[in-house]
Amino acid sequence: MSSSTGSLRRSAGSLLIVVVVWELVGKLELIAGGTFPPLSAIFGRLYDDRADYPQHLAATLRSAGIGFAVGSVIAIGCGILFAQFKMLERIFRGVSITFFAVPLIVLVPVLLLAFQGTMPRIILAIIAVYFPVMVSTLIGVRDIDPRLAEVIRVSGGTDRDVMRFVRLRAALPAIFAGLRVGGPGALLGVMLVEFGGGVRWGLGTYLLGSLGRGEPARLWGIGLLATMIAGISYGVFSWFGAYFLRTNLSTTVSMKASSTTLDSDDRYTGLQRLVLGIASFCTVLVLWSGALRLMNLSPVVARGPVAVVRYLFTGARGADARDRLLSALGETLPLAGIGLMFGLLAAFVLALLLDLFPIVGSAFFPFALISQSMPLPALTPLIVLVFGRSVLATVVVTFSVTFFPSYVTIAQALSSSPQGAIDVAESYGARRLQVLRFIRLPQAIGSLLTAARLAAPRALLGVMIAEYLATGNGLGNLLNESRGKLDYGMIWTVGAVSVTFAVLLTQIISKLERQIGRKFLV
Amino acid sequence: MAGETLLKIDNVSRSFDLRGTVVHALKNVSLQVPAGSFLALIGPSGCGKSTLLRLLAGLDTPDAGALSVNGVDPFTLRQQGSIGMAFQDPALLPWRSVRKNIALPLQILKRNLDEYSARIQSLIELVGLSGFEDAVPGQLSGGMRQRVSIARALVTEPNILLLDEPFGALDEILRRQMNLELQQIWMKRRPTTVLVTHAIDEAIALADSVAVMTSRPGRVVEVVQIDLPRPRTTEMFRSTEFHAIADHLSELLFTHATA
Ligand SMILES: Nc1ncnc2c1ncn2[C@@H]1O[C@H](COP(=O)(O)OP(=O)(O)O)[C@@H](O)[C@H]1O
Ligand SMILES: [Mg+2]
């Protein structure tokens, strides 16, 4: 989609338009009285601040780099193991889904309680990297061209040889597709912990400080820089992925592996599924308690699953805690839902529209691609700056973190629709709108659910970050407040409850997705 | 059953369940040829030729019956690395060069590749791919890829050679050439060979015996012995003997296809 020089030129052209419009809007102070400075002012400020940046940058990049490297190694290792041992994957699925769905910000207070120095940052980066890289590795290693495996077997090779000669190499494009998502993820993790405070150096610290002092140009400078770093890492890994995909020509490895679901449970009976579900749920609880024990924390600070239940239901202040939790949920969940809906709807409509006008679409696509890797912690302060500390800001944050990735998912699904079907339709005289209606639309609806599943946890995270940083509402605020009040029970409870909601939501969506997928396939 | 020097297919059946309907790819197939001989399988497409070859390769197991070569089952044979196979689809590793694709079976058997570079080079010449040693499959035509996969099947000098329509994508002249080369290779070491083919002349040119198969259910209708002397030459293809056999085979194929 972006390889031809024509679309490259269009992208460059639209970049120019963005730059010019931005400059004008900023100069004329068209948006929110100077909170949206012109690019020239942003770069000027970036230059003035040049002495501040190296240390902040170095601190953030160091933690993100270490976290990314360690996280990738763990994730690739797990992906390979899970591909080889299906049962292991199934047992750990609860853990994997938890890592996927957890709004990372709930882990910040917990990590800051448990670890010192740069450890919390590195660990959150590892957690952010784990899921996308693990899943793409798993799928890349598992779904190979079966004929290649037979070539190895018939020559006397074992499963190990199939792994060595085929799977690992065939999985490279998928692994890089995972890594390109993981890079920005690591940056996000590190900056979130930096928001949690306690460190002197780091882009997150710098950003938060500037938000307090209300310095729009500097704030934008930091945001753009963080976005650029994420964009570069995204681009580098995309390039490698594309390179290996080219050399895998006749095999069929999907670059979109990170958006595919895990193995379906169709081959199990209802009872087996129930047992597996319970087992994988228990694995999460066991790991949670086990990790606490390993970290050797005081039971006052570190609450396991039992302690959380006790805090909420049998503790002295249980009723009060439940009230606060419910009212926070009542604020957070509707906003997450609204932002998610709007983001998905806009992505859906725009993807279909731009599919009708491929030239505009191919110019817009690279922007969406870069924007989806924009680190949420960098984005949130900017939106808060422009929209104020309001509910609107929260919705806008949620909208933007769901819109871009959803657009990318849906647009990719549309662009991969079988040309054959369209040719047939067109040879029968179908016009563009009819192609849209009978071929594109069903396809877009299928991918809409995939987009929803991927976006749902991001929506929750978006709302919570906005609440945590700015608006003083909902779960994010409750988390922040509880930190201040050393209300450890509530910190863990908010974490557990928000993970539960995120997991439930993604599970419901993926169930729908599978049912609809089945309907379209058969 | 030691001491047996036979390729033995004993009452083998294999069926597939395709969304409720059962396809009898092979039903009660029995066949015996001496080890070290050359067997050709011929029949309409869908009559179970590839299925039979996969069973012989130990890549699949029969629902009933047994297969063996010299009393050893296919599964063991393949683990020993005694089988060389060229699939109907070349199935090359797309990221490996021609040379490295051919070397793959040697690597799997943990042989020292340095000792084999001469053999690999001569195989490349044999299949007419000199100059393409470092090309990757994406740069080759369909016929060239197929020739790489034939070279790959030969590189370990296997005791059992299984070829599934290996010359299907080649033009007529090249096919004839490759037939003669294959005969040369086979006569040197006499591996037990099973060749699946569509072409009657190819079967007669190469095989000691031709099993004619038919479909629904897949079965062997007759095994025809080819007693022409070796090496068989292009002149023989014009002999009356050759034509008599060809007529017989095509009659078998035709009557069973329309039955
Ligand atoms: N793995 C499989 N799954 C389902 N059906 C199969 C499979 N392999 C072969 N068949 C069916 O078995 C029959 C014989 O196939 P095959 O052995 O490939 O025939 P041939 O090689 O003679 O053309 C065909 O009807 C085919 O559809
Ligand atoms: Mg076949």
Side-chain angles (χ1 to χ4, degrees), chain A residues 162-475:
Chain A
V162 176
M163 178 61 81
R164 178 174 158 213
F165 291 111
V166 181
R167 292 186 191 280
L168 290 180
R169 180 58 181 74
L172 284 181
I175 293 176
F176 277 101
L179 290 176
R180 74 179 181 182
V181 179
L187 195 59
L188 175 141
V190 170
M191 287 180 73
L192 275 183
V193 180
E194 288 168 352
F195 281 170
V199 289
R200 171 127 193 249
W201 302 112
L203 283 182
T205 313
Y206 197 30
L207 200 59
L208 206 59
S210 313
L211 183 65
R213 278 197 296 277
E215 294 175 87
R218 174 185 283 171
L219 215 52
W220 280 96
I222 304 168
L224 283 185
L225 196 67
T227 304
M228 207 183 70
I229 295 167
I232 288 174
S233 94
Y234 187 93
V236 168
F237 288 115
S238 296
W239 185 87
F240 277 110
Y243 169 79
F244 287 117
L245 189 67
R246 264 202 309 285
T247 54
N248 280 10
L249 259 181
S250 54
T251 57
T252 46
V253 179
S254 169
M255 280 291 279
K256 284 172 286 173
S258 54
S259 67
T260 318
T261 36
L262 296 166
D263 223 0
S264 93
D265 271 347
D266 286 350
R267 64 203 151 96
Y268 297 117
T269 65
L271 184 67
Q272 282 172 322
R273 252 183 263 184
L274 189 69
V275 171
L276 284 171
I278 292 172
S280 84
F281 178 65
C282 290
T283 314
V284 176
L285 299 185
V286 166
L287 276 186
W288 176 1
S289 332
L292 293 185
R293 194 146 304 165
L294 269 182
M295 290 187 288
N296 215 1
L297 293 169
S298 125
V300 179
V301 174
R303 306 287 175 94
V306 179
V308 164
V309 171
R310 211 177 280 155
Y311 171 83
L312 265 186
F313 295 102
T314 65
R317 295 179 299 144
D320 173 50
R322 282 202 301 274
D323 282 346
R324 284 189 294 149
L325 185 67
L326 282 179
S327 79
L329 275 172
E331 285 168 351
T332 300
L333 292 182
L335 287 182
I338 291 170
L340 180 63
M341 291 292 191
F342 276 120
L344 285 171
L345 192 69
F348 183 72
V349 171
L350 193 70
L352 278 176
L353 269 182
L354 292 190
D355 194 59
L356 282 180
F357 307 103
I359 292 186
V360 189
S362 70
F364 180 71
F365 191 76
F367 279 107
L369 220 60
I370 292 173
S371 308
Q372 75 160 351
S373 60
M374 184 161 191
L376 195 44
L379 186 71
T380 311
L382 300 180
I383 291 173
V384 169
L385 188 71
V386 174
F387 292 91
R389 295 176 183 264
S390 62
V391 168
L392 183 61
T394 316
V395 174
V396 173
V397 170
T398 316
F399 174 84
S400 22
V401 295
T402 49
F403 169 73
F404 288 109
S406 306
Y407 171 78
V408 169
T409 306
I410 298 170
Q412 272 175 343
L414 285 180
S415 73
S416 67
S417 76
Q419 192 58 42
I422 293 162
D423 288 345
V424 168
E426 278 175 351
S427 73
Y428 281 100
R431 272 162 308 149
R432 257 186 183 176
L433 272 177
Q434 287 170 312
V435 170
L436 184 77
R437 178 160 165 222
F438 293 112
I439 299 175
R440 303 298 209 190
L441 200 61
Q443 224 165 7
I445 290 173
S447 61
L448 186 64
L449 283 170
T450 309
R453 172 168 53 82
L454 295 174
R458 291 177 67 114
L460 194 57
L461 177 62
V463 173
M464 289 181 71
I465 291 181
E467 290 170 343
Y468 186 93
L469 279 183
T471 67
N473 292 327
L475 282 179

Side-chain angles (χ1 to χ4, degrees), chain B residues 50 88 164-165:
Chain B
S50 296
Q88 191 165 357
D164 197 348
E165 299 187 28

